[in-house]
Amino acid sequence: MVTKFSDATISELLQCVRKPGRYFDNEVNFPRKVEGRLKFLICFPDLYEIGMSHLGIRILYHVLNSHEDFMADLAFAPWEDMAAFMKARNMPLLGLGTRLPAGEFDVLGFSLQHELQYTNVLAMLDLAGVPLESSERADGDPVVIAGGPSAANPAPMAAFVDAFAVGDGETVSLEISSALLGAKEAGLPRRRILENLAEIEGVYVPAVHGLEPPPASIVRRVEAELKDEYFPTEPIVPLIPITHDRLSIEIMRGCTRGCRFCSAGMTTRPVRQRSVESIVAHAERGIAASGWEEVSLVSLSTSDYSDLNVLVARLAETLGGRHVSISLPSMRPGTFTEEIAEIVGGIKKTGLTFAPEAGSPALRRAINKDIDEGELYSTVETAFRNGWESMKLYFMLGLPGEEMGDVEAIMRIAKGVETICRGYGRRRRVTLSLSPFVPRPHTPFQWEAQEGAEGVLSKLAMIKKKLPEGRIKIKWRDPWVSVLEGVLARGGRELAACILAAYKSGARFDGWTDSFDFDLWKGALSRCGIDVGGQLAARPRNAPLPWDHIHAGVSRGFLESESDKAASGELTPDCREGECTDCGACGGQPRPGPPAAGRGGGDRSARRPA
């Protein structure tokens, strides 16, 4: 085993890099398991602060280390200063807890949360001393696995990843590890190992399945139940502040609201939720073991948890004496009731976020997000009346069918919220967050065109000019970042050469403003013959798509039907509130019920899509 940093190296590191706490291993509750017949390095291709905030890798770390035969460790992408420090001293990428070189692990498992992490994957492989392309790896090299949302279109990264795990990761990660352990102890060659992985449900192996697998031949994995043993109750507490510096508890997985732009809502069905008792016990143990002062109830649509009022009341009763706040992300207007506001606000207030997404009622119907404007204002009034001081509103620009009237409607809503805000004192503030629309695989909008950066920038300029200064803070995503995201999101295998060229040109941390350089990508795209305009253009429905072989949950027929409904402005109700919508995700099986009246959302008219 590699020894820990020497005192001299630590002293030098402290002087040479920012936030050296990213690279040490003295976190509270870090188990540091060092023994195991199979060594699995969970790699998060972004900074420590982002990765340590991600609940998914914490779950996988816990699940794998709970198995006596497996040892899992964590690794994060070092920032540019640390990467230079490592290269200058021939220091390889190391596991955070074991200090083992990454190349000595049997498996490198990457969590692909979005496309802008792709060059960081290559950077981490490079630092690990592992050949970048799968075809160049030998029998002694680690097997490179990838999972997460971007595995739903594996084509752009297929040249670099040996196997993709599609869907929920808890069970399949154990199955993959068991298969690799058996192959390791049997001394099987690399090709045979990949063939064994290809036999596991939900695992796509490019070298085995070929360039054009049959449509929907790889079926995503779904955990039927969110078992308590999946979730660590003694969470790792980082050394330095992280992006989400709190105890995050997954209360529900999946969403059936059916927003037509949302890949997560389409690819995580059906809805599965944990019991109130399980969540409260988890929160109590987690806070006691961590010292955090905030609990965040995590799901795609927290307000759709069927017993939300009961859950919030129980948490307030259990944690209130410890001055622990309860964070409710992903709330829908109409479900943030006076009762919830009084319970949560009586402890300690955090910010509130609401996402109307589109300004006009017509465009909200097109994206299947029928939020009532009056309900939104009423919810804002409830929040400010109960002492909240800040609120975020999320909107998208460039949605299919958007006209200038829709953009003006965003400004009208923002002004309406600001007017309410003004009535509750100077301290109240509103943040308007604007993001360009990116069409995503496995959504009803996967065939739609994406607006170019110039068009989005003109809309942003108009909004910034016309909205009042002061109480409304406007934040926006760089449209050029979204252009790159759109190119990669719907790309095929031809983009592998472009990703490699961009990496060799210096592209790193493309999701970070300080590091993003579209000129690097523009040059790489041009050299590889990729037409950006063509990549952003609408796709014919009868044309093959690079992700056709992945069945990510909903059926193609459902996506086509939803695309037609978007064009006509027809809504599709949440299946938890009525009949099965025949999306194909659960075979029409019974679903957890919707929020009950008085327990999470009131009557049906108040239960609008999130």
Side-chain angles (χ1 to χ4, degrees), residues 5-19:
F5 289 124
S6 67
D7 290 343
T9 303
I10 291 176
S11 178
E12 186 181 8
L13 185 64
L14 289 169
Q15 300 176 53
C16 292
V17 304
R18 288 183 287 174
K19 297 187 179 180

Side-chain angles (χ1 to χ4, degrees), residues 70-88:
F70 309 144
M71 181 276 283
D73 199 357
L74 300 172
F76 305 97
W79 188 247
E80 295 160 354
D81 54 358
M82 181 61 175
F85 181 92
M86 294 167 71
K87 288 181 178 179

Side-chain angles (χ1 to χ4, degrees), residues 324-340:
V324 175
S325 63
I326 301 171
S327 173
L328 301 172
S330 309
M331 292 295 289
R332 289 181 292 111
T335 61
F336 185 76
T337 62
E338 194 78 34
E339 181 182 357
I340 289 178

Side-chain angles (χ1 to χ4, degrees), residues 152-423:
N153 177 21
M157 290 294 285
F160 313 112
V161 174
D162 296 318
F164 293 85
V166 182
D168 294 337
E170 289 90 343
T171 300
V172 75
S173 65
L174 294 174
E175 293 177 4
I176 289 171
S177 298
S178 295
L180 291 173
L181 176 58
K184 174 184 177 181
E185 297 189 338
L188 298 183
R190 190 176 191 85
R191 175 68 188 188
R192 181 69 182 280
I193 292 173
L194 297 182
E195 289 171 352
N196 287 354
L197 292 179
E199 295 177 1
I200 299 174
E201 182 182 0
V203 176
Y204 168 56
V205 182
V208 177
H209 289 112
L211 295 176
E212 296 182 1
S217 57
I218 308 299
V219 180
R220 72 178 178 119
R221 295 297 293 267
V222 179
E223 295 293 335
E225 179 185 356
L226 302 183
K227 300 178 182 179
D228 285 350
E229 57 260 36
Y230 293 162
F231 303 97
T233 53
E234 295 186 354
I236 300 171
V237 182
L239 283 177
I240 62 174
I242 58 176
T243 306
H244 301 300
D245 211 356
R246 54 190 177 237
L247 178 65
S248 296
I249 301 178
E250 185 178 21
I251 64 170
M252 184 172 74
R253 191 174 298 180
C255 179
T256 49
R257 285 288 160 187
C259 299
R260 291 170 178 140
F261 57 83
C262 181
S263 59
M266 296 292 166
T267 61
T268 60
R269 299 180 179 206
V271 170
R272 294 138 289 162
Q273 64 179 43
R274 300 172 68 187
S275 70
V276 170
E277 291 73 20
S278 171
I279 296 166
V280 172
H282 187 160
E284 189 170 21
R285 290 184 62 184
I287 288 297
S290 67
W292 268 313
E293 297 179 343
E294 180 180 345
V295 172
S296 179
L297 305 182
V298 177
S299 76
L300 289 174
S301 183
T302 300
S303 49
D304 283 330
Y305 184 80
S306 61
D307 291 313
L308 184 62
N309 282 21
V310 175
L311 173 60
V312 169
R314 287 280 305 278
L315 287 171
E317 179 184 359
T318 303
L319 303 175
R322 305 181 192 182
H323 305 287
V324 175
S325 63
I326 301 171
S327 173
L328 301 172
S330 309
M331 292 295 289
R332 289 181 292 111
T335 61
F336 185 76
T337 62
E338 194 78 34
E339 181 182 357
I340 289 178
E342 289 176 0
I343 295 171
V344 177
I347 310 171
K348 182 180 176 183
K349 296 173 182 65
T350 60
L352 284 175
T353 298
F354 299 99
E357 304 292 3
S360 71
L363 193 54
R364 288 197 294 274
R365 285 194 299 272
I367 65 175
N368 206 43
K369 195 150 191 171
D370 190 28
I371 288 175
D372 180 78
E373 206 166 308
E375 266 186 359
L376 174 62
Y377 295 142
S378 176
T379 299
V380 171
E381 190 89 43
T382 297
F384 285 138
R385 184 172 58 248
N386 282 276
W388 266 262
E389 295 182 354
S390 64
M391 182 173 299
K392 289 183 181 179
L393 299 175
Y394 278 92
F395 288 90
M396 301 177 77
L397 295 174
L399 284 162
E402 180 185 77
E403 298 176 350
M404 289 311 297
D406 300 303
V407 180
E408 292 168 354
I410 293 175
M411 293 186 284
R412 185 190 69 246
I413 291 175
K415 289 177 181 178
V417 172
E418 189 269 342
T419 299
I420 298 171
C421 172
R422 196 185 316 137

Side-chain angles (χ1 to χ4, degrees), residues 324-604:
V324 175
S325 63
I326 301 171
S327 173
L328 301 172
S330 309
M331 292 295 289
R332 289 181 292 111
T335 61
F336 185 76
T337 62
E338 194 78 34
E339 181 182 357
I340 289 178
E342 289 176 0
I343 295 171
V344 177
I347 310 171
K348 182 180 176 183
K349 296 173 182 65
T350 60
L352 284 175
T353 298
F354 299 99
E357 304 292 3
S360 71
L363 193 54
R364 288 197 294 274
R365 285 194 299 272
I367 65 175
N368 206 43
K369 195 150 191 171
D370 190 28
I371 288 175
D372 180 78
E373 206 166 308
E375 266 186 359
L376 174 62
Y377 295 142
S378 176
T379 299
V380 171
E381 190 89 43
T382 297
F384 285 138
R385 184 172 58 248
N386 282 276
W388 266 262
E389 295 182 354
S390 64
M391 182 173 299
K392 289 183 181 179
L393 299 175
Y394 278 92
F395 288 90
M396 301 177 77
L397 295 174
L399 284 162
E402 180 185 77
E403 298 176 350
M404 289 311 297
D406 300 303
V407 180
E408 292 168 354
I410 293 175
M411 293 186 284
R412 185 190 69 246
I413 291 175
K415 289 177 181 178
V417 172
E418 189 269 342
T419 299
I420 298 171
C421 172
R422 196 185 316 137
Y424 286 90
R426 292 187 174 184
R427 293 176 61 121
R428 278 29 176 207
R429 291 291 182 269
V430 177
T431 298
L432 177 62
S433 183
L434 303 166
S435 295
F437 162 72
V438 176
R440 298 224 165 256
H442 307 290
T443 69
F445 287 162
Q446 66 182 0
W447 297 283
E448 297 290 343
Q450 178 176 342
E451 185 170 18
E454 293 85 357
V456 175
L457 284 169
S458 68
K459 294 172 183 177
L460 282 170
M462 182 181 75
I463 292 171
K464 288 187 287 182
K465 180 179 179 181
K466 293 188 176 182
L467 279 183
E469 296 180 3
R471 292 183 184 272
I472 300 179
K473 179 181 179 181
I474 303 175
K475 298 178 68 175
W476 64 92
R477 196 155 193 262
D478 184 348
W480 290 108
V481 171
S482 296
V483 165
L484 174 60
E485 206 168 20
V487 168
L488 296 174
R490 295 193 293 175
R493 289 200 177 204
E494 71 281 354
L495 281 180
C498 176
I499 294 168
L500 183 59
Y503 168 69
K504 290 182 175 179
S505 297
R508 308 282 192 283
F509 291 98
D510 296 301
W512 291 79
T513 302
D514 291 347
S515 297
F516 177 69
D517 186 346
F518 188 72
D519 286 339
L520 291 179
W521 280 96
K522 187 176 179 181
L525 290 163
S526 177
R527 291 193 298 276
C528 296
I530 304 295
D531 174 36
V532 173
Q535 289 291 116
L536 302 185
R539 311 287 175 93
R541 276 200 194 169
N542 59 356
L545 297 171
W547 54 90
D548 278 342
H549 57 292
I550 304 294
H551 179 59
V554 298
S555 69
R556 184 185 179 95
F558 177 76
L559 296 180
E560 291 178 348
S561 173
E562 287 296 291
S563 175
D564 292 337
K565 287 183 177 182
S568 62
E570 182 181 349
L571 293 167
T572 297
D574 187 336
C575 64
R576 299 174 80 200
E577 297 180 348
E579 297 181 356
C580 174
T581 56
D582 196 25
C583 72
C586 64
Q589 296 300 310
R591 302 163 298 280
R599 289 162 57 96
D603 62 25
R604 182 173 177 180

